[in-house]
Amino acid sequence: MRRRIAEPYKIKAVEPLSMLSYQEREEALKSAGYNTFLLDSKDVYIDLLTDSGTSAMSDKQWGSLMVGDEAYAGSKSWYRLEEAVREVYGYKYVLPTHQGRGAENILSQLKVKPGDYVPGNMYFTTTRAHQEMNGGTFVDVIIDEAHDPQIEVDFKGNVDLNKLKSLIEEVGAHNIPYVCLAVTVNMAGGQPVSMKNMKDVYELCQHHGIDVMYDATRCVENAYFIKERESGYSEKSIKIILKEMFSYSDGCTMSGKKDALVNIGGFLAMNDEDLYTRSRELVVVYEGMPTYGGMAGRDMEAMAQGIYESVDDHYIEHRIHQVRYLGDQLQEAGVPMVRPIGGHAIFLDAKAFLSHLDQLEFPAQSLAAALYLDSGVRAMERGIVSAGRNKDTGEHNQPKLEMIRLTIPRRVYTNNHMDVVADSVIALYEKREKIKGLQMDYEPPTLRFFNARFSPKEVSLIHN
Ligand SMILES: *Cc1c(COP(=O)(O)O)cnc(C)c1O
C-alpha cells in the first residue's frame, strides 16, 4: 500500500499570495519586458525564481531574532553560530560572512595567485568570478555525464579523477591552490557527489599536498542523496553522513541562504590555523569584526538555529521528496527535463519543449514568460539569454542547454502549490506549438539576463 509523506511542520503564520487575473498578468508581463527577473514580487503567485534566501524560518528561528546579541564585539550570538558550525560541520575554525560570496572572496584572495588553476566540479558564477579576479583559471573536472541532461546517473556531480590527475600532471600540484568541490552541483541541476568520490578526491589531493575546499551551499541535500543511494548509508542519520562528508575536506565556503534556512548569511570554515589567522585579517577589511562578519546578531542567532534544523532527517526527506513530487508529475506527462531530478530544482528542457522555435527566438525566455502568463508562476531562464555574447565575435553564445529552472524554496510552499505548477506546465506542454518566440528589444552590455527586455515576435506570446 502507498504511504505518502507530508510536510513535517504546520503553519503558524500565513502570507497571503497575490492572485492576478490573466489580463492583469498580461499587463505585468508586458511592463516587465517579458523578463521574469523584472516582474514585481507583488504580481507573482508562486515564486520559483530561486531557493536563495527564500526559505521560511521556523517559530524557533523567529524567536531567536529577539534574543540576538547586537554587541559590536564578542556577540553571544556569534558564539552560538560558531558552536553550531563546529558541531554540525566539524571544522575547527569558523568566520562569519554576509553571504557565500563573501567567504569566496576571502578564500580566493588568500589562496589563488596569478597563473594558478582551480579545479572544480562545474563552475558556479560567483565562485569562478572570485577565482578569476585573483588571476586563477577555473578547470572543470566533473564527469562527462553531468553535461548530458538525459543520462541517469546516481551521482552526476562526481569529480572525474582521471581529469583531476591529468591536470595535476600537466600544471603541477604547486599551481593548484585547492580543489573546489561543490556539494551538490547547482549548475548541473542540483546533482550530488558520492561519499566515495569525496574520499577519493581527498586522498588524491592529500597525496599531492593540495587542499580540498567544499562549496557547502547545499550539503544537506547532498547528504540525503548519499543516504538514499550509496550502499552502507541508508541507516545512518543525516547528521552523521554530513560529518563524514566534511571529514574529507580542509574547509568550506557556505551560503547560509540555501541549506542553513535563513534569508541572509554565510561563513568560511577551515581546520588550518594559519589560514584562519590570515582569513580573520581579511574578514575585518571586507565584512566586519570576526564576531559578526556582515551579519546582525539576530541573523547569526537565526542561522545557528537553522543549521540544527537543517539536519533533521524528516525535514530533509520532505524537502527532497517535494522537489521530486513536482518533477515526477511532469515526467509522467512527458515534459522534457533534466534527469535525474536534483535537490533544489526542476530544470525543463525548453529546446525540446518548444522544438518549433529556433534558439535565436529565445525558447527558454518564451517558456518562462508563458508560464507566468498562464498561472502566475515565476521561473528563471537558463539558456541563450543567460549565456550572453562571445567577447571576440559579438555573436550570441548558443549553449547546448536551453532550460528554465523551477526552484523550490525551502518550507515555503505546500504540495498543493506543486500541483498548481504541474498543471500549468502540463497545460502549456499540451498546447506547446501555440507558444511563440520573442525578440530582444533592449540588451544590457553585461549580465544581460537580469535587465534585458523582450516582446513577442507575433501578435501575442500564446495564441489561444
Ligand atoms: C548561491 C551560491 C553561492 C554564493 O552564495 P551567496 O550567498 O549567494 O553569495 C555559491 N555557490 C553556489 C553553488 C551557490 O548556489
Side-chain angles (χ1 to χ4, degrees), residues 386-429:
S386 296
R389 287 184 185 270
N390 182 298
K391 272 192 210 115
D392 303 321
T393 66
E395 297 295 316
H396 292 287
N397 290 320
Q398 291 194 247
K400 201 172 133 201
L401 299 179
E402 175 79 21
M403 303 189 292
I404 69 165
R405 190 179 83 179
L406 303 168
T407 337
I408 317 301
R410 296 170 184 79
R411 304 194 294 203
V412 172
Y413 295 114
T414 66
N415 284 357
N416 287 329
H417 292 112
M418 298 301 111
D419 291 343
V420 168
V421 176
D423 289 353
S424 178
V425 172
I426 292 165
L428 289 173
Y429 190 58

Side-chain angles (χ1 to χ4, degrees), residues 99-101 104 124 126-127 186 215 217-218 255 257-258:
Q99 57 186 83
R101 66 198 69 183
E104 291 170 352
F124 182 72
T126 59
T127 320
N186 186 354
D215 177 341
T217 300
R218 294 182 183 81
S255 169
K257 303 176 70 169
K258 284 79 166 220

